[in-house]
Amino acid sequence: MNQTYQDPGRAEEISQILEPLIRRIIREELTRLVKVESGTFYLDPDMPLYEDMEDILQRKANGRVKLHSHDEVWSE
């Protein structure tokens, strides 16, 4: 049987590297979307962001979401 060992320190290191990159990508994508769609815009059900938001909503309903403050989310 194959077992995978995951070093918790390494996972934290990877998280610290990826988190700023992911935040920047999301920020850029939301900025692009807002520029393209003036006024109110809606996410189509076939959009990946829509699927992500549904997943977050489901995890929130199950008590598996940790929300961050505005400063935690947008600080660089």
Side-chain angles (χ1 to χ4, degrees), residues 15-51:
S15 175
Q16 289 176 355
I17 293 168
L18 290 178
E19 186 173 341
L21 177 63
I22 293 167
R23 289 178 191 276
R24 188 179 84 226
I25 292 168
I26 291 171
R27 189 178 310 128
E28 289 172 359
E29 192 62 19
L30 289 174
T31 300
R32 183 192 64 76
L33 183 61
V34 170
K35 285 180 181 178
V36 170
E37 300 288 337
S38 62
T40 302
F41 66 91
Y42 299 92
L43 297 175
D44 293 323
D46 61 336
M47 296 174 74
L49 186 55
Y50 185 95
E51 294 170 7

Side-chain angles (χ1 to χ4, degrees), residues 59-73:
R59 287 188 289 146
K60 180 182 177 198
N62 294 333
R64 299 181 309 158
V65 171
K66 177 186 180 246
L67 300 178
H68 298 276
S69 71
H70 183 271
D71 289 338
E72 289 174 312
V73 170

